[in-house]
Amino acid sequence: MRLLPISCAGLLLAAASATLAQAPAAAAEATLEYTVEQRDTLIWLGKNLLVDPSAWPEVARTNRLPNPNHIVPGQRLRIPARLLRSVDVPATLVAASGDVRVDGKAAPAGATVNPGQTITTAEASTAILQLGDGSRVKVMPGTETVLGQNRRYQLKANRSAEPVGESEGLFASTMRLVRGSVDMAATKVPRAKPLEVTTPTAVIGVRGTEYRVHHDSQGVGTSRTEVLEGKVQADITATGKPGAALNEGFGAVMPTGAKEPAVAALADAPKLPALNAPFERPMVRFTVQGESLSLRLQVAEDPQFERIVRDQRIAPGGDVRIAGLEDGTWYVRARRIDANGLEGRDAKSKFVLHARPEPPAAMAPEQNAKRPVGEVQLVWAENTEAGPTACRWPKMRAFRRWSRMSKASSGPTPSSSLKRPASTIGAWPACARMVTAALGEMHGSLRSSPCPPAPRAV
């Protein structure tokens, strides 16, 4: 398929792999390529492919055919896109997590989105829009975007009584990004024109690749793109000069009024810490060591990050703190953000949260308290969401060997008695464990006072 480049204001990023054909007319015009089949004639193609069947002589002039009545199988004809029959088709919202709306109304997965409709996602909400050619648009949290065009051009002459299938033909699709971020995954199929994302300052078109597009509507208004797969050409058409070729692993920043895109290599993925041990507190907290750049961190319910529930920016060297998650397995990814705002490659991991019921709060004795040898009373606050409570006393601080376990009394201040420590002198870890489907723990320690009798083990 060969298409003429379409002139746009602002920035035009076109896939390097896109093939374009220049019609011999003085004015540049988008054309689509048709391969002649057995028994084809221009008159017959006019009746089956063109909006106006009588426009077939214009096809002959576009291709400078010496004899319009003679075309042969295998011959390639350029047909102006404006002459071809086309129809708007809806896109499909294949996934919706959290507060996702289409034209202000709540939209579930499976909803259709027509050209001209607006998709918005709240914080901790994501959506995936599938276009007619199978390309997918991941709408990130806090984003507003519009399905500008999703149009199918008929380029197959139908010789049977059956209608041309909805999946046949060539698509031209455009998304308009008002604010926020979208991740694009373009299928590697022929198109009527490259898949485009427009922003207030740019037109970003790529074919057969993966890339991100961001637009910050604050301040001067800046658009950014990062190429994860494939190649794109970045041109600022207002200058009339060639821009920059972006290979995989590079990005460009395009503030309003820029004369050329600022191109830079994407930062490598950060090194996330090992998250093998379950988190036993509701607040998930860890540190990404040695980072001098800010991080963008996202948490999702699935490994494909189609249902993102947290989207945070972490200061350089700062702690990662994630609150409000339910117990279960979660997926996390992080990427560095350079000084120009370009986001680098992803580091991915997963973790398990096992924090319910929450551990009881110790009331007595205090941490590292001293008590005479004999009975020791351990008291903690009641957790109304937990069931029966028990106290376990290990023989060693690592809680690998247990001496005994005893039931605790119930009520506003559950308690348990240790009548005889494992020895008369030493530091003894204590653990209050709530015996429910999920286990919460409170760790503490007691220290017995020295006494005249010689130490003896239980």
Side-chain angles (χ1 to χ4, degrees), residues 41 55 93 95 114 149 162 253 259 267 302 312 325 403 439 458:
T41 66
L93 203 64
N114 294 304
Q149 184 184 38
E162 297 295 327
V253 181
K259 295 182 178 180
D302 62 297
Q312 302 176 187
L325 300 179
S403 172
L439 297 177
V458 175

Side-chain angles (χ1 to χ4, degrees), residues 268-272 286-289 291-297 312-318 320 334-337:
D268 292 334
K271 186 176 181 180
L272 292 175
F286 59 88
T287 302
V288 183
Q289 299 288 346
E291 286 298 324
S292 59
L293 296 176
S294 296
L295 298 177
R296 184 174 186 178
L297 184 133
Q312 302 176 187
R313 182 161 180 153
I314 310 300
V320 174
R335 60 182 75 126
R336 295 178 172 126
I337 305 174

Side-chain angles (χ1 to χ4, degrees), residues 46-114:
K47 292 180 179 179
N48 285 269
L49 297 180
L50 304 185
V51 177
D52 179 4
S54 65
W56 64 265
E58 188 170 348
V59 177
R61 290 192 297 270
T62 299
N63 291 273
R64 296 181 178 178
L65 298 178
N67 182 1
N69 296 318
H70 181 69
I71 54 176
V72 296
Q75 184 177 357
R76 296 179 178 180
L77 300 177
R78 296 189 308 275
I79 304 177
R82 61 181 171 81
L83 299 181
L84 285 166
R85 295 176 186 173
S86 62
V87 61
D88 282 331
V89 294
T92 303
L93 203 64
V94 295
S97 176
D99 186 3
V100 178
R101 297 180 179 271
V102 174
D103 283 351
K105 298 180 180 179
T112 57
V113 180
N114 294 304

Side-chain angles (χ1 to χ4, degrees), residues 1-3 14-21 193-195 205-208 231:
M1 170 115 15
R2 298 177 67 81
L3 303 176
S17 61
T19 56
L20 301 177
K193 68 175 184 177
L195 174 61
V206 181
R207 178 185 305 205
K231 297 180 179 180

Side-chain angles (χ1 to χ4, degrees), residues 373 423-425 448-457:
V373 173
S423 65
T424 56
I425 302 177
S448 60
S449 300
C451 57
R456 55 195 180 105

Side-chain angles (χ1 to χ4, degrees), residues 307-330:
R307 299 186 300 277
I308 297 174
V309 299
R310 296 291 183 275
D311 191 354
Q312 302 176 187
R313 182 161 180 153
I314 310 300
D319 284 348
V320 174
R321 299 185 181 187
I322 309 167
L325 300 179
E326 299 293 330
D327 284 1
T329 299
W330 297 93

